[in-house]
Amino acid sequence: MGYLVGAAVVVVLVGVPAIVLWRVMRGRRELGTSPAERATFETLHTASLAGPPLRAGLTADGAERASRHLRALLGAAALAITDGERLLVYDGAGDHHADQAFEHAVPTMREGRIQVLTIDCHLLECPIRHAVVVPLTTDDRVVGTLAAYGQNASAGLVRAAQEVAGWVDAQLELAELDRSRTLLMEAEVRALRAQISPHFIYNSLTTIASFVRTDPERARELLLEFADFTRYSFRRHGEFTTLAEELRSIDRYLILERARFGDQLQVTLRIAPEVLPVAVPFLCLQPLVENAVRHGLESRNGVGRITIVAEDDAGAECRISVEDDGLGMDPERLRRILAGDIPSAGGVGLANVDERLRQVYGDEYGLVVETAPGAGTKVNVRLPKYHPGVSAR
């Protein structure tokens, strides 16, 4: 079967009209009309292949995957990359010199400057006679080295090694920014957990305790809901979850709050099934609902209503809103809370969620809040259904 498939492919290729082949070749020529332009394209293409592996930082796997492309950029016979403790990769000719590569890098690591070395080798056919070792830096710290090996240590090779090392430095800086972003998001999630836990846990346990004697079965059900809610809220893995999981946690939260408020809290949910699999930042909606209950309904008399809507806009986005008919607040005060100009226990959740959404999706995806004193509050969230790097795994 495999042979037949291969044969069919050959027939298709042979049968391609000459005009199509000419167009393909013409397209390649149009990438550059001169040798300089073609060389520029090839260089940029090679650099684009080396970039992604380095975005994970200076690791053995990333260095190994990027080394062949970096060596091509340098035109060197061999290339070595080290971190502060070991050789990460040696790629190219003369691999019997790999055992010495870390030793070659030590002075550069220690002094932070370029070293041009003469390499002794008893093999006449070996092309490795010199090495240019350049420091790799992040935040002005030497974190590793890049060494280019060849027959000669020309001024051109020294300059090329400096430029390639500078480009690698930029990729490592981006990797640090990615790590910092991840740590920041984790810290913000921890801040949300800290905000949720004292107030909500106390009220929930007090409510459950009130049912222990009068309705033990109800108390048992609420305790299970409380356990599931806290298990989700304090989980330790993943920056993202599905909208379905986030809404399930919100439902548990509202079950516990309805047990506390009784008929004074009325909730309406309108959820389009199409948006349930959408990946969203962990705990991006629950704080909005808690904010609606705590600051929209607790301080008012009579029945309070919350409406949660998740809609498919039939395009690349989904739209979510959390609305209450509570006390509302001054729009200017809300603007200052979201901007971080003034602290507010009532705005911590909103400000935190707004910042995380902007970090993940861009500034155009921040919260849009409609409110006024005595008019309730409606928080609108717009999310892309698919976004690079966002996956509920």
Side-chain angles (χ1 to χ4, degrees):
M1 181 62 71
Y3 174 80
L4 291 177
V5 172
V9 172
V10 172
V11 171
V12 172
L13 291 176
V14 171
V16 173
I19 185 67
V20 175
L21 292 176
W22 178 80
R23 285 174 179 168
V24 172
M25 295 305 296
R26 185 183 67 174
R28 289 180 180 174
R29 287 198 299 272
E30 287 175 351
L31 289 174
T33 57
S34 69
E37 290 175 342
R38 287 194 292 273
T40 299
F41 170 78
E42 292 295 336
T43 300
L44 292 174
H45 178 65
T46 302
S48 72
L49 295 175
L54 296 171
R55 288 293 298 274
L58 195 57
T59 65
D61 179 65
E64 183 175 356
R65 291 165 55 199
S67 61
R68 177 170 59 89
H69 306 299
L70 296 177
R71 183 163 63 86
L73 286 175
L74 288 167
L79 175 138
I81 299 175
T82 70
D83 61 12
E85 300 178 351
R86 58 182 175 138
L87 173 69
L88 298 177
V89 64
Y90 183 97
D91 180 82
D95 55 5
H96 54 283
H97 291 292
D99 292 340
Q100 304 169 314
F102 185 77
E103 181 183 341
H104 297 158
V106 169
T108 298
M109 283 290 304
R110 183 175 60 245
E111 301 172 18
R113 61 186 180 86
I114 297 174
Q115 304 279 338
V116 179
L117 307 175
T118 300
I119 307 299
D120 293 327
C121 185
H122 64 280
L123 298 177
L124 296 178
E125 68 277 12
C126 179
I128 306 302
R129 300 299 169 184
H130 292 86
V132 178
V133 188
V134 184
L136 298 176
T137 61
T138 301
D139 294 331
D140 297 324
R141 295 179 296 107
V142 178
V143 296
T145 66
L146 180 148
Y149 292 85
Q151 287 277 8
N152 302 295
S154 64
L157 181 61
V158 173
R159 181 61 184 273
Q162 285 181 291
E163 293 296 331
V164 170
W167 182 84
V168 172
D169 289 347
Q171 304 308 305
L172 298 180
E173 290 280 0
L174 290 173
E176 284 293 319
L177 287 175
D178 286 343
R179 276 195 291 269
S180 297
R181 169 181 167 274
T182 299
L183 291 174
L184 178 59
M185 290 186 67
E186 290 175 352
E188 289 173 337
V189 169
R190 286 196 296 270
L192 281 176
R193 287 168 173 155
Q195 178 196 1
I196 294 167
S197 55
H199 186 276
F200 175 72
I201 289 175
Y202 173 80
N203 287 331
S204 296
L205 292 177
T206 300
T207 300
I208 293 169
S210 70
F211 284 99
V212 169
R213 288 190 176 182
T214 60
D215 192 345
E217 184 60 27
R218 177 68 167 151
R220 176 182 176 279
E221 292 172 357
L222 291 174
L223 193 58
L224 292 175
E225 295 290 352
F226 176 77
D228 287 338
F229 173 82
T230 53
R231 185 181 299 111
Y232 175 81
S233 298
F234 293 92
R235 72 179 193 177
R236 295 295 179 185
H237 59 281
E239 296 178 31
F240 304 99
T241 186
T242 63
L243 182 57
E245 286 294 321
E246 189 80 353
L247 290 172
R248 189 174 292 115
S249 176
I250 287 171
D251 185 54
R252 295 185 184 110
Y253 168 80
L254 290 172
I255 287 173
L256 293 163
E257 291 290 50
R258 281 197 296 266
R260 176 183 167 206
F261 287 106
D263 294 336
Q264 286 189 309
L265 174 59
Q266 296 184 3
V267 180
T268 301
L269 290 92
R270 296 200 303 271
I271 311 298
E274 296 83 3
V275 301
L276 292 176
V278 173
V280 299
F282 178 61
L283 286 182
C284 73
L285 298 180
Q286 195 279 337
L288 307 183
V289 177
E290 182 178 0
N291 197 69
V293 173
R294 289 178 57 186
H295 306 286
L297 304 177
E298 281 186 348
S299 301
R300 61 164 290 166
N301 296 320
V303 176
R305 296 175 178 84
I306 294 177
T307 302
I308 302 171
V309 179
E311 300 175 308
D312 184 358
D313 70 355
E317 297 177 341
C318 63
R319 300 178 184 275
I320 305 165
S321 65
V322 178
E323 183 175 7
D324 67 71
D325 63 349
L327 300 178
M329 67 185 305
D330 176 55
E332 178 58 23
R333 178 176 175 80
L334 174 64
R335 186 195 66 78
R336 295 179 65 192
I337 290 173
L338 292 176
D341 295 338
I342 59 174
S344 170
V348 171
L350 290 178
N352 186 300
V353 171
D354 181 67
E355 179 64 22
R356 287 199 296 141
L357 290 175
R358 293 176 187 275
Q359 287 176 353
V360 174
Y361 301 113
D363 284 339
E364 66 272 25
Y365 287 99
L367 296 179
V368 176
V369 184
E370 305 170 34
T371 189
T377 302
K378 183 178 182 180
V379 182
N380 300 286
V381 183
R382 185 167 54 92
L383 296 175
K385 296 176 186 174
Y386 307 99
H387 190 78
V390 176
S391 176
R393 292 181 293 181

